Amino acid sequence: TEAGRLVDQVGVKVVFGSLASGNALAIAGVTDKSGVVLVESGGIADALTDSNFKYVYRILDKGGLRGAVGAEYVGTGIAETLGIAPADLKVFIIHEESSYGESVANGAEAKIKEMGMQLAGREHYNKDITDMSALVLQIKQAKPDVLLTVSYVNDAILMVDTLKQLQAMPKVFMGLGAGTTDPNFAMT
């Protein structure tokens, strides 16, 4: 790997960041066993700092925390805006299946349960999905008030397009990172 080459051949002592959680976990395995510091600015998967790496420093939020904070906002601000008591609020979580998606979704689910909201469903998918019809039909059948999503940009766009096509858009569509923060998503 490139991380291995940098550590073993070039002799770097510090590696800065990666693009995604999967990359960060792979890099951390290489750097940590060699005593090289990894300063991570892109990977939010909980496993990155929960795996007892000695030389990993994350300078952004943890996936579980991001999910929990998002769900807490749903149970307070969004519930109030919709005029629905948190106990009556139905929330559906859909996420891509990597360590990133799992971490954020796990944090959201735990907070939803802690706050007494109704978990209408939770589904996951591969980020390279090309047809979300079956997943969106499950969402439509569950009739959530809020759809929490953890995605990358292409799957986020596909999800919104499919929700619109199947007339399944909930009252609130809320992204918890990555795909829904990309400028290309804003054009959907």
Side-chain angles (χ1 to χ4, degrees), residues 41 43 45-46 52 60 63 65 68-69 79 97 103 116 119-120 128 134 155 170 178 184:
S41 60
D46 290 355
N52 297 319
L60 70 160
L65 176 62
V69 169
E97 64 191 5
S103 292
L119 183 63
D128 295 321
D155 47 309
N184 292 310

Side-chain angles (χ1 to χ4, degrees), residues 37-166:
V37 171
L38 170 61
V39 179
E40 182 52 45
S41 60
I44 69 168
D46 290 355
L48 191 60
T49 50
D50 292 350
S51 295
N52 297 319
F53 292 120
K54 292 170 126 178
Y55 303 100
V56 173
Y57 301 92
R58 181 181 9 227
I59 58 172
L60 70 160
D61 58 327
K62 228 175 137 170
L65 176 62
R66 182 177 294 183
V69 169
E72 184 173 3
Y73 178 68
V74 167
T76 56
I78 290 177
E80 183 179 334
T81 298
L82 294 177
I84 301 173
D88 297 327
L89 195 66
K90 295 191 313 187
V91 183
F92 197 106
I93 301 169
I94 186 164
H95 61 93
E96 62 80 37
E97 64 191 5
S98 75
S99 56
Y100 151 67
E102 287 287 330
S103 292
V104 178
N106 288 344
E109 182 174 347
K111 185 57 79 171
I112 287 166
K113 290 177 178 178
E114 176 188 316
M115 293 182 72
M117 292 180 274
Q118 297 178 34
L119 183 63
R122 177 175 169 174
E123 290 296 331
H124 63 89
Y125 59 88
N126 183 283
K127 70 175 180 60
D128 295 321
I129 192 169
T130 57
D131 182 359
M132 284 199 172
S133 299
L135 290 168
V136 167
L137 287 173
Q138 288 179 357
I139 294 166
K140 185 175 182 174
Q141 184 176 11
K143 299 178 182 168
D145 300 301
V146 178
L147 179 61
L148 290 180
T149 69
V150 187
S151 58
Y152 291 104
V153 68
N154 291 336
D155 47 309
I157 291 168
L158 177 62
M159 186 183 314
V160 168
D161 288 346
T162 307
L163 285 162
K164 289 177 181 177
Q165 288 170 359
L166 298 178

